[in-house]
Amino acid sequence: MKSGEEADHFGELNDLPNDSHFLKPYILKLRQKVEQEDALREHLHLSDNCLIRFLRARDFDVDLSLKLLINYHRWRRECPEISGNLNSSSVLGLLQNNYHGVLKSRDASGSRVLVYRIGQWNPKEFTAYEVFRVSLITSELISQETDTQRNGVKAIFDLQGWCFSHALQITPSLAKKISAVLTDSFPLKVRGIHLLNEPLLFRPVFTMIRPFLPDKIKQRVHMHGSSFLCSLCQHFAHSTLPPEYGGTGPGLEEVCQDWTSFIVQSEEQLAQLSATGALSTPLH
């Protein structure tokens, strides 16, 4: 555990721009460790901006950043059915059904806020692997944003419409892969997971996922039920949330459609990510 002085120091590093000379020693040290790892031999081309993603995700602890980088590329190798094709065309139907969006405003702590609407996922048309790919596409894109690297993400899962056919799609193997991305295999800080309208049928699925989660993530899971209007606004400003969730921000249809357009416009970056697992320049 870091002392208060160390935590302040790493907080200051996190606030610096990518080209700050104060970050150079950390980038150099991580690059040297990457060059010594057999598991990363094919990734020696990684840019400074890419390495900073992993450093920020682990508060500039170089050893933990290296471990995260190794886990990230191992996960990509072991899950090609999810990570091998990040093209928007593979999930466009799901996106056009307003299943997923990213709210226009960050929350008070600067976190990106993601929304998933389970009722818009027809399991007869899209598998859980394709649904997971939507999340991975968004995560890859927003993890290029400097502010998101610094402040992480919070996710709202609206489980209205969850049914038995959804539950059948979530196998123990997939549950483990989902938890790996949430914990130690992706360079993104998960600051909160908020579940709305969760039915009894969802509990066995969450029970399957929960053991794979570290205590830190478990403590950040909030179950709001169907009477979520008051409790959700304790975590998010009214101006951040859409009207459907008690806020005054843009509606969910607009949010989902705008994010779908952004994903489609990011096709070139997604193709690069599919091939190499990294972008040469960050998004802002």
Side-chain angles (χ1 to χ4, degrees), residues 236-273:
F236 301 97
H238 284 81
S239 58
T240 299
L241 292 171
E244 293 89 341
Y245 299 148
T248 58
L252 283 175
E253 184 173 342
E254 179 184 342
V255 166
C256 293
Q257 289 177 357
D258 285 353
W259 189 250
T260 296
S261 296
F262 178 74
I263 288 177
V264 171
Q265 292 164 12
S266 303
E267 197 66 45
E268 185 176 338
Q269 294 99 312
L270 291 171
Q272 185 181 347
L273 283 165

mmCIF file of all heavy atoms in Angstrom, residues 236-273:
data_model
loop_
_atom_site.group_PDB
_atom_site.id
_atom_site.type_symbol
_atom_site.label_atom_id
_atom_site.label_comp_id
_atom_site.label_asym_id
_atom_site.label_seq_id
_atom_site.Cartn_x
_atom_site.Cartn_y
_atom_site.Cartn_z
ATOM 1 N N PHE A 236 -24.590 10.073 -9.231
ATOM 2 C CA PHE A 236 -24.412 10.858 -10.456
ATOM 3 C C PHE A 236 -25.246 12.130 -10.386
ATOM 4 O O PHE A 236 -26.376 12.108 -9.889
ATOM 5 C CB PHE A 236 -24.849 10.048 -11.696
ATOM 6 C CG PHE A 236 -24.105 8.758 -11.887
ATOM 7 C CD1 PHE A 236 -24.643 7.559 -11.439
ATOM 8 C CD2 PHE A 236 -22.872 8.739 -12.527
ATOM 9 C CE1 PHE A 236 -23.970 6.358 -11.623
ATOM 10 C CE2 PHE A 236 -22.184 7.555 -12.706
ATOM 11 C CZ PHE A 236 -22.738 6.363 -12.249
ATOM 12 N N ALA A 237 -24.700 13.203 -10.915
ATOM 13 C CA ALA A 237 -25.442 14.466 -10.966
ATOM 14 C C ALA A 237 -26.618 14.340 -11.926
ATOM 15 O O ALA A 237 -26.559 13.594 -12.914
ATOM 16 C CB ALA A 237 -24.516 15.594 -11.426
ATOM 17 N N HIS A 238 -27.692 15.073 -11.642
ATOM 18 C CA HIS A 238 -28.860 15.050 -12.524
ATOM 19 C C HIS A 238 -28.476 15.455 -13.943
ATOM 20 O O HIS A 238 -29.011 14.929 -14.926
ATOM 21 C CB HIS A 238 -29.949 15.999 -11.995
ATOM 22 C CG HIS A 238 -30.700 15.457 -10.816
ATOM 23 N ND1 HIS A 238 -30.217 15.524 -9.542
ATOM 24 C CD2 HIS A 238 -31.904 14.819 -10.741
ATOM 25 C CE1 HIS A 238 -31.087 14.964 -8.710
ATOM 26 N NE2 HIS A 238 -32.120 14.537 -9.415
ATOM 27 N N SER A 239 -27.555 16.392 -14.072
ATOM 28 C CA SER A 239 -27.164 16.875 -15.390
ATOM 29 C C SER A 239 -26.404 15.829 -16.200
ATOM 30 O O SER A 239 -26.319 15.923 -17.418
ATOM 31 C CB SER A 239 -26.293 18.128 -15.254
ATOM 32 O OG SER A 239 -25.145 17.861 -14.468
ATOM 33 N N THR A 240 -25.857 14.818 -15.536
ATOM 34 C CA THR A 240 -25.123 13.743 -16.221
ATOM 35 C C THR A 240 -26.067 12.676 -16.733
ATOM 36 O O THR A 240 -25.910 12.170 -17.849
ATOM 37 C CB THR A 240 -24.098 13.109 -15.255
ATOM 38 O OG1 THR A 240 -23.163 14.090 -14.832
ATOM 39 C CG2 THR A 240 -23.355 11.957 -15.930
ATOM 40 N N LEU A 241 -27.077 12.333 -15.937
ATOM 41 C CA LEU A 241 -27.970 11.219 -16.268
ATOM 42 C C LEU A 241 -29.015 11.601 -17.317
ATOM 43 O O LEU A 241 -29.453 12.747 -17.374
ATOM 44 C CB LEU A 241 -28.691 10.746 -15.011
ATOM 45 C CG LEU A 241 -27.833 10.080 -13.937
ATOM 46 C CD1 LEU A 241 -28.662 9.872 -12.669
ATOM 47 C CD2 LEU A 241 -27.273 8.751 -14.431
ATOM 48 N N PRO A 242 -29.449 10.623 -18.131
ATOM 49 C CA PRO A 242 -30.546 10.873 -19.077
ATOM 50 C C PRO A 242 -31.878 10.929 -18.343
ATOM 51 O O PRO A 242 -31.986 10.455 -17.199
ATOM 52 C CB PRO A 242 -30.478 9.655 -20.011
ATOM 53 C CG PRO A 242 -29.875 8.580 -19.179
ATOM 54 C CD PRO A 242 -28.908 9.255 -18.250
ATOM 55 N N PRO A 243 -32.914 11.489 -18.963
ATOM 56 C CA PRO A 243 -34.228 11.583 -18.302
ATOM 57 C C PRO A 243 -34.771 10.222 -17.872
ATOM 58 O O PRO A 243 -35.466 10.125 -16.854
ATOM 59 C CB PRO A 243 -35.120 12.215 -19.382
ATOM 60 C CG PRO A 243 -34.161 12.963 -20.258
ATOM 61 C CD PRO A 243 -32.904 12.156 -20.277
ATOM 62 N N GLU A 244 -34.454 9.171 -18.634
ATOM 63 C CA GLU A 244 -34.955 7.835 -18.295
ATOM 64 C C GLU A 244 -34.459 7.376 -16.923
ATOM 65 O O GLU A 244 -35.079 6.514 -16.294
ATOM 66 C CB GLU A 244 -34.518 6.819 -19.360
ATOM 67 C CG GLU A 244 -35.162 7.037 -20.720
ATOM 68 C CD GLU A 244 -34.373 7.983 -21.613
ATOM 69 O OE1 GLU A 244 -33.529 8.766 -21.105
ATOM 70 O OE2 GLU A 244 -34.592 7.932 -22.845
ATOM 71 N N TYR A 245 -33.353 7.948 -16.465
ATOM 72 C CA TYR A 245 -32.798 7.568 -15.169
ATOM 73 C C TYR A 245 -32.855 8.715 -14.162
ATOM 74 O O TYR A 245 -32.072 8.765 -13.213
ATOM 75 C CB TYR A 245 -31.353 7.073 -15.343
ATOM 76 C CG TYR A 245 -31.248 5.856 -16.239
ATOM 77 C CD1 TYR A 245 -30.128 5.643 -17.031
ATOM 78 C CD2 TYR A 245 -32.274 4.913 -16.300
ATOM 79 C CE1 TYR A 245 -30.020 4.538 -17.855
ATOM 80 C CE2 TYR A 245 -32.191 3.806 -17.122
ATOM 81 C CZ TYR A 245 -31.063 3.619 -17.902
ATOM 82 O OH TYR A 245 -30.969 2.515 -18.719
ATOM 83 N N GLY A 246 -33.791 9.646 -14.379
ATOM 84 C CA GLY A 246 -34.026 10.706 -13.420
ATOM 85 C C GLY A 246 -33.172 11.935 -13.596
ATOM 86 O O GLY A 246 -33.151 12.803 -12.718
ATOM 87 N N GLY A 247 -32.477 12.053 -14.729
ATOM 88 C CA GLY A 247 -31.603 13.195 -14.950
ATOM 89 C C GLY A 247 -32.149 14.182 -15.956
ATOM 90 O O GLY A 247 -33.288 14.070 -16.423
ATOM 91 N N THR A 248 -31.296 15.152 -16.294
ATOM 92 C CA THR A 248 -31.686 16.196 -17.252
ATOM 93 C C THR A 248 -30.778 16.212 -18.475
ATOM 94 O O THR A 248 -30.838 17.134 -19.281
ATOM 95 C CB THR A 248 -31.633 17.579 -16.571
ATOM 96 O OG1 THR A 248 -30.297 17.813 -16.070
ATOM 97 C CG2 THR A 248 -32.619 17.661 -15.413
ATOM 98 N N GLY A 249 -29.917 15.206 -18.598
ATOM 99 C CA GLY A 249 -29.025 15.127 -19.751
ATOM 100 C C GLY A 249 -29.752 14.609 -20.986
ATOM 101 O O GLY A 249 -30.964 14.348 -20.951
ATOM 102 N N PRO A 250 -29.039 14.461 -22.115
ATOM 103 C CA PRO A 250 -29.648 13.935 -23.339
ATOM 104 C C PRO A 250 -30.263 12.559 -23.112
ATOM 105 O O PRO A 250 -29.781 11.777 -22.280
ATOM 106 C CB PRO A 250 -28.456 13.865 -24.306
ATOM 107 C CG PRO A 250 -27.482 14.877 -23.794
ATOM 108 C CD PRO A 250 -27.620 14.845 -22.306
ATOM 109 N N GLY A 251 -31.321 12.253 -23.853
ATOM 110 C CA GLY A 251 -32.022 10.979 -23.720
ATOM 111 C C GLY A 251 -31.206 9.808 -24.219
ATOM 112 O O GLY A 251 -30.241 9.963 -24.981
ATOM 113 N N LEU A 252 -31.610 8.605 -23.794
ATOM 114 C CA LEU A 252 -30.847 7.408 -24.121
ATOM 115 C C LEU A 252 -30.769 7.148 -25.622
ATOM 116 O O LEU A 252 -29.736 6.700 -26.123
ATOM 117 C CB LEU A 252 -31.456 6.195 -23.416
ATOM 118 C CG LEU A 252 -31.153 6.067 -21.919
ATOM 119 C CD1 LEU A 252 -31.909 4.891 -21.327
ATOM 120 C CD2 LEU A 252 -29.649 5.907 -21.699
ATOM 121 N N GLU A 253 -31.840 7.412 -26.359
ATOM 122 C CA GLU A 253 -31.816 7.159 -27.800
ATOM 123 C C GLU A 253 -30.743 8.019 -28.469
ATOM 124 O O GLU A 253 -29.955 7.528 -29.281
ATOM 125 C CB GLU A 253 -33.181 7.436 -28.418
ATOM 126 C CG GLU A 253 -33.237 7.104 -29.911
ATOM 127 C CD GLU A 253 -34.639 7.230 -30.488
ATOM 128 O OE1 GLU A 253 -35.612 7.231 -29.700
ATOM 129 O OE2 GLU A 253 -34.751 7.330 -31.719
ATOM 130 N N GLU A 254 -30.698 9.292 -28.112
ATOM 131 C CA GLU A 254 -29.680 10.187 -28.673
ATOM 132 C C GLU A 254 -28.272 9.745 -28.266
ATOM 133 O O GLU A 254 -27.350 9.721 -29.097
ATOM 134 C CB GLU A 254 -29.928 11.610 -28.194
ATOM 135 C CG GLU A 254 -28.895 12.616 -28.700
ATOM 136 C CD GLU A 254 -29.106 14.014 -28.116
ATOM 137 O OE1 GLU A 254 -30.212 14.287 -27.609
ATOM 138 O OE2 GLU A 254 -28.161 14.821 -28.174
ATOM 139 N N VAL A 255 -28.112 9.382 -27.001
ATOM 140 C CA VAL A 255 -26.807 8.944 -26.498
ATOM 141 C C VAL A 255 -26.318 7.715 -27.263
ATOM 142 O O VAL A 255 -25.160 7.653 -27.707
ATOM 143 C CB VAL A 255 -26.900 8.630 -24.984
ATOM 144 C CG1 VAL A 255 -25.676 7.846 -24.508
ATOM 145 C CG2 VAL A 255 -27.037 9.920 -24.182
ATOM 146 N N CYS A 256 -27.198 6.731 -27.422
ATOM 147 C CA CYS A 256 -26.818 5.492 -28.105
ATOM 148 C C CYS A 256 -26.517 5.736 -29.579
ATOM 149 O O CYS A 256 -25.544 5.190 -30.123
ATOM 150 C CB CYS A 256 -27.921 4.448 -27.954
ATOM 151 S SG CYS A 256 -28.154 3.858 -26.255
ATOM 152 N N GLN A 257 -27.333 6.529 -30.229
ATOM 153 C CA GLN A 257 -27.117 6.789 -31.653
ATOM 154 C C GLN A 257 -25.825 7.564 -31.889
ATOM 155 O O GLN A 257 -25.076 7.275 -32.836
ATOM 156 C CB GLN A 257 -28.312 7.537 -32.226
ATOM 157 C CG GLN A 257 -29.570 6.685 -32.338
ATOM 158 C CD GLN A 257 -30.777 7.452 -32.841
ATOM 159 O OE1 GLN A 257 -30.710 8.662 -33.073
ATOM 160 N NE2 GLN A 257 -31.882 6.757 -33.008
ATOM 161 N N ASP A 258 -25.527 8.531 -31.029
ATOM 162 C CA ASP A 258 -24.300 9.305 -31.183
ATOM 163 C C ASP A 258 -23.076 8.430 -30.956
ATOM 164 O O ASP A 258 -22.067 8.552 -31.663
ATOM 165 C CB ASP A 258 -24.284 10.487 -30.209
ATOM 166 C CG ASP A 258 -25.206 11.613 -30.639
ATOM 167 O OD1 ASP A 258 -25.760 11.537 -31.756
ATOM 168 O OD2 ASP A 258 -25.381 12.579 -29.861
ATOM 169 N N TRP A 259 -23.154 7.532 -29.980
ATOM 170 C CA TRP A 259 -21.995 6.672 -29.724
ATOM 171 C C TRP A 259 -21.813 5.652 -30.844
ATOM 172 O O TRP A 259 -20.682 5.332 -31.230
ATOM 173 C CB TRP A 259 -22.118 5.971 -28.375
ATOM 174 C CG TRP A 259 -20.832 5.271 -28.019
ATOM 175 C CD1 TRP A 259 -20.585 3.937 -27.969
ATOM 176 C CD2 TRP A 259 -19.589 5.914 -27.690
ATOM 177 N NE1 TRP A 259 -19.281 3.686 -27.628
ATOM 178 C CE2 TRP A 259 -18.645 4.890 -27.457
ATOM 179 C CE3 TRP A 259 -19.186 7.242 -27.578
ATOM 180 C CZ2 TRP A 259 -17.314 5.164 -27.118
ATOM 181 C CZ3 TRP A 259 -17.863 7.521 -27.241
ATOM 182 C CH2 TRP A 259 -16.947 6.483 -27.019
ATOM 183 N N THR A 260 -22.909 5.159 -31.395
ATOM 184 C CA THR A 260 -22.819 4.255 -32.544
ATOM 185 C C THR A 260 -22.122 4.953 -33.708
ATOM 186 O O THR A 260 -21.245 4.368 -34.366
ATOM 187 C CB THR A 260 -24.221 3.777 -32.970
ATOM 188 O OG1 THR A 260 -24.797 3.007 -31.909
ATOM 189 C CG2 THR A 260 -24.164 2.923 -34.229
ATOM 190 N N SER A 261 -22.490 6.202 -33.951
ATOM 191 C CA SER A 261 -21.852 6.969 -35.037
ATOM 192 C C SER A 261 -20.359 7.120 -34.775
ATOM 193 O O SER A 261 -19.539 7.004 -35.695
ATOM 194 C CB SER A 261 -22.504 8.354 -35.169
ATOM 195 O OG SER A 261 -23.857 8.243 -35.541
ATOM 196 N N PHE A 262 -19.989 7.371 -33.521
ATOM 197 C CA PHE A 262 -18.575 7.526 -33.193
ATOM 198 C C PHE A 262 -17.816 6.227 -33.438
ATOM 199 O O PHE A 262 -16.696 6.231 -33.979
ATOM 200 C CB PHE A 262 -18.418 7.953 -31.735
ATOM 201 C CG PHE A 262 -16.980 8.078 -31.310
ATOM 202 C CD1 PHE A 262 -16.204 9.148 -31.730
ATOM 203 C CD2 PHE A 262 -16.402 7.117 -30.492
ATOM 204 C CE1 PHE A 262 -14.867 9.257 -31.354
ATOM 205 C CE2 PHE A 262 -15.077 7.216 -30.107
ATOM 206 C CZ PHE A 262 -14.307 8.292 -30.543
ATOM 207 N N ILE A 263 -18.403 5.095 -33.064
ATOM 208 C CA ILE A 263 -17.744 3.806 -33.292
ATOM 209 C C ILE A 263 -17.544 3.563 -34.782
ATOM 210 O O ILE A 263 -16.468 3.147 -35.227
ATOM 211 C CB ILE A 263 -18.557 2.665 -32.642
ATOM 212 C CG1 ILE A 263 -18.431 2.735 -31.115
ATOM 213 C CG2 ILE A 263 -18.092 1.302 -33.153
ATOM 214 C CD1 ILE A 263 -19.242 1.697 -30.377
ATOM 215 N N VAL A 264 -18.571 3.836 -35.572
ATOM 216 C CA VAL A 264 -18.478 3.639 -37.028
ATOM 217 C C VAL A 264 -17.386 4.540 -37.609
ATOM 218 O O VAL A 264 -16.605 4.125 -38.480
ATOM 219 C CB VAL A 264 -19.834 3.912 -37.697
ATOM 220 C CG1 VAL A 264 -19.696 3.921 -39.215
ATOM 221 C CG2 VAL A 264 -20.862 2.857 -37.266
ATOM 222 N N GLN A 265 -17.303 5.774 -37.127
ATOM 223 C CA GLN A 265 -16.287 6.707 -37.617
ATOM 224 C C GLN A 265 -14.881 6.319 -37.169
ATOM 225 O O GLN A 265 -13.895 6.823 -37.720
ATOM 226 C CB GLN A 265 -16.608 8.124 -37.122
ATOM 227 C CG GLN A 265 -17.859 8.725 -37.747
ATOM 228 C CD GLN A 265 -18.374 9.937 -36.981
ATOM 229 O OE1 GLN A 265 -17.688 10.469 -36.102
ATOM 230 N NE2 GLN A 265 -19.587 10.362 -37.296
ATOM 231 N N SER A 266 -14.792 5.422 -36.192
ATOM 232 C CA SER A 266 -13.491 5.005 -35.655
ATOM 233 C C SER A 266 -13.014 3.695 -36.285
ATOM 234 O O SER A 266 -12.128 3.022 -35.744
ATOM 235 C CB SER A 266 -13.585 4.831 -34.132
ATOM 236 O OG SER A 266 -14.030 6.006 -33.504
ATOM 237 N N GLU A 267 -13.579 3.342 -37.436
ATOM 238 C CA GLU A 267 -13.290 2.046 -38.052
ATOM 239 C C GLU A 267 -11.797 1.832 -38.306
ATOM 240 O O GLU A 267 -11.261 0.737 -38.096
ATOM 241 C CB GLU A 267 -14.065 1.917 -39.368
ATOM 242 C CG GLU A 267 -14.184 0.496 -39.899
ATOM 243 C CD GLU A 267 -15.019 -0.391 -38.983
ATOM 244 O OE1 GLU A 267 -16.088 0.031 -38.529
ATOM 245 O OE2 GLU A 267 -14.566 -1.511 -38.710
ATOM 246 N N GLU A 268 -11.112 2.878 -38.743
ATOM 247 C CA GLU A 268 -9.682 2.739 -39.029
ATOM 248 C C GLU A 268 -8.898 2.429 -37.757
ATOM 249 O O GLU A 268 -8.018 1.557 -37.748
ATOM 250 C CB GLU A 268 -9.153 4.027 -39.673
ATOM 251 C CG GLU A 268 -7.709 3.932 -40.122
ATOM 252 C CD GLU A 268 -7.244 5.188 -40.837
ATOM 253 O OE1 GLU A 268 -8.095 5.943 -41.360
ATOM 254 O OE2 GLU A 268 -6.025 5.431 -40.868
ATOM 255 N N GLN A 269 -9.216 3.145 -36.681
ATOM 256 C CA GLN A 269 -8.544 2.883 -35.412
ATOM 257 C C GLN A 269 -8.842 1.482 -34.899
ATOM 258 O O GLN A 269 -7.971 0.792 -34.367
ATOM 259 C CB GLN A 269 -8.968 3.908 -34.355
ATOM 260 C CG GLN A 269 -8.519 5.335 -34.660
ATOM 261 C CD GLN A 269 -9.653 6.141 -35.274
ATOM 262 O OE1 GLN A 269 -10.319 5.680 -36.202
ATOM 263 N NE2 GLN A 269 -9.869 7.343 -34.748
ATOM 264 N N LEU A 270 -10.106 1.044 -35.063
ATOM 265 C CA LEU A 270 -10.486 -0.284 -34.590
ATOM 266 C C LEU A 270 -9.766 -1.375 -35.372
ATOM 267 O O LEU A 270 -9.374 -2.402 -34.803
ATOM 268 C CB LEU A 270 -12.004 -0.462 -34.696
ATOM 269 C CG LEU A 270 -12.827 0.394 -33.733
ATOM 270 C CD1 LEU A 270 -14.309 0.317 -34.068
ATOM 271 C CD2 LEU A 270 -12.584 -0.033 -32.288
ATOM 272 N N ALA A 271 -9.587 -1.163 -36.670
ATOM 273 C CA ALA A 271 -8.843 -2.137 -37.479
ATOM 274 C C ALA A 271 -7.400 -2.232 -36.993
ATOM 275 O O ALA A 271 -6.826 -3.328 -36.912
ATOM 276 C CB ALA A 271 -8.889 -1.736 -38.951
ATOM 277 N N GLN A 272 -6.809 -1.107 -36.649
ATOM 278 C CA GLN A 272 -5.447 -1.082 -36.131
ATOM 279 C C GLN A 272 -5.369 -1.797 -34.784
ATOM 280 O O GLN A 272 -4.436 -2.559 -34.523
ATOM 281 C CB GLN A 272 -4.954 0.360 -35.996
ATOM 282 C CG GLN A 272 -3.496 0.490 -35.563
ATOM 283 C CD GLN A 272 -3.073 1.950 -35.423
ATOM 284 O OE1 GLN A 272 -3.773 2.855 -35.872
ATOM 285 N NE2 GLN A 272 -1.941 2.174 -34.794
ATOM 286 N N LEU A 273 -6.360 -1.557 -33.938
ATOM 287 C CA LEU A 273 -6.399 -2.214 -32.637
ATOM 288 C C LEU A 273 -6.557 -3.725 -32.780
ATOM 289 O O LEU A 273 -5.936 -4.496 -32.048
ATOM 290 C CB LEU A 273 -7.554 -1.652 -31.806
ATOM 291 C CG LEU A 273 -7.319 -0.283 -31.171
ATOM 292 C CD1 LEU A 273 -8.628 0.313 -30.693
ATOM 293 C CD2 LEU A 273 -6.330 -0.396 -30.016
#
